[in-house]
Amino acid sequence: LPYFAAGYVMPFGALSEMIPKPGTGTAAAIAAGVWIYAFYVVPAVFGQALPDGHGNYMCCHPGAVSVLPGTLSPLDVTFFWTRRIARLAVEIPVVLTVIFGVLPRSETPLTYMGAHTLYSYVFHLCTSVHILRASLLMWLGVSVVEGRGTHVMILVLHIPYCLGVMLFLTSSYWRAIWSWAISPQWPALIFAEFSKSSEIREGQGMEFNAKAMRIQ
């Protein structure tokens, strides 16, 4: 939710005009800088894992209070919410940098997704990467791997998967199935019919009043 709030208050139009469109080389350099910042600088600055952006502070995700038994004082636990603020502070600038410095600003074959992201947001848990990945790894019996390089490779493999999920959940076929609930047209038709009926009744009332005045 904080990321959506940041998107709503951010003057993207003004910033797009203010920040020049980077060339291919500049965009590649910015992407490399973002990569180094996210995977090397941030972990070096924060000695412990920052909490997940979802769920309870006491949950079992990395950086939660319950994962750090005996390492936090009562005062640290009281102000544990500041860790999530810190995560937002280090992640939102990265997202904005990618938007204005890496992503294309002209229309692309994927631009249409922007108008239909609500479909992917509502149904993304049905195709959750974590659930499917865990099920697949259990079925294949793959051993647990460790190491930054291996984890980075796994994260990179998420890109084509997530892209495929977005293509599916924002496709015209999926929207045709769920448009009645996500972007319904029938309420507008009902209100339009109600408005039309009200205008007819109002017109009939005015006509009746005009006849009454003529009779008088």
Side-chain angles (χ1 to χ4, degrees):
L1 183 59
Y3 301 96
F4 286 101
Y8 278 116
V9 301
M10 192 64 59
F12 282 98
L15 290 177
S16 297
E17 296 178 358
M18 184 185 308
I19 301 174
K21 180 180 178 181
T24 304
T26 304
I30 294 175
V34 168
W35 181 282
I36 296 172
Y37 173 81
F39 289 101
Y40 294 96
V41 176
V42 172
V45 172
F46 296 93
Q48 296 175 335
L50 295 175
D52 192 349
H54 301 81
N56 192 298
Y57 297 133
M58 299 299 297
C59 188
C60 53
H61 56 72
V65 175
S66 60
V67 182
L68 306 171
T71 61
L72 298 178
S73 67
L75 185 63
D76 290 331
V77 174
T78 301
F79 290 95
F80 193 80
W81 56 272
T82 58
R83 294 184 176 224
R84 183 171 293 182
I85 300 299
R87 178 163 188 164
L88 295 175
V90 300
E91 288 186 347
I92 289 181
V94 172
V95 174
L96 294 176
T97 302
V98 171
I99 290 175
F100 293 107
V102 179
L103 298 181
R105 301 188 188 181
S106 57
E107 187 173 355
T108 69
L110 303 179
T111 303
Y112 80 94
M113 291 183 181
H116 309 296
T117 50
L118 185 58
Y119 288 86
S120 58
Y121 176 76
V122 171
F123 295 103
H124 75 280
L125 288 179
C126 301
T127 57
S128 174
V129 174
H130 306 288
I131 296 175
L132 295 179
R133 182 183 64 186
S135 302
L136 180 62
L137 291 179
M138 291 180 60
W139 181 71
L140 294 176
V142 179
S143 59
V144 177
V145 295
E146 297 181 357
R148 186 181 300 275
T150 307
H151 288 163
V152 169
M153 181 184 67
I154 293 174
L155 290 175
V156 171
L157 291 176
H158 281 62
I159 296 176
Y161 176 83
C162 293
L163 179 59
V165 169
M166 285 291 296
L167 288 171
F168 174 73
L169 294 181
T170 58
S171 65
S172 58
Y173 305 102
W174 188 258
R175 299 200 312 268
I177 296 174
W178 296 103
S179 60
W180 63 271
I182 304 299
S183 53
Q185 300 296 325
W186 52 269
L189 297 176
I190 293 176
F191 284 111
E193 186 65 27
F194 177 78
S195 177
K196 182 179 179 181
S197 300
S198 299
E199 291 177 358
I200 293 175
R201 288 195 299 268
E202 183 179 354
Q204 290 175 345
M206 293 177 63
E207 183 179 356
F208 176 80
N209 292 335
K211 290 182 179 179
M213 292 178 63
R214 285 198 297 269
I215 293 173
Q216 292 177 355

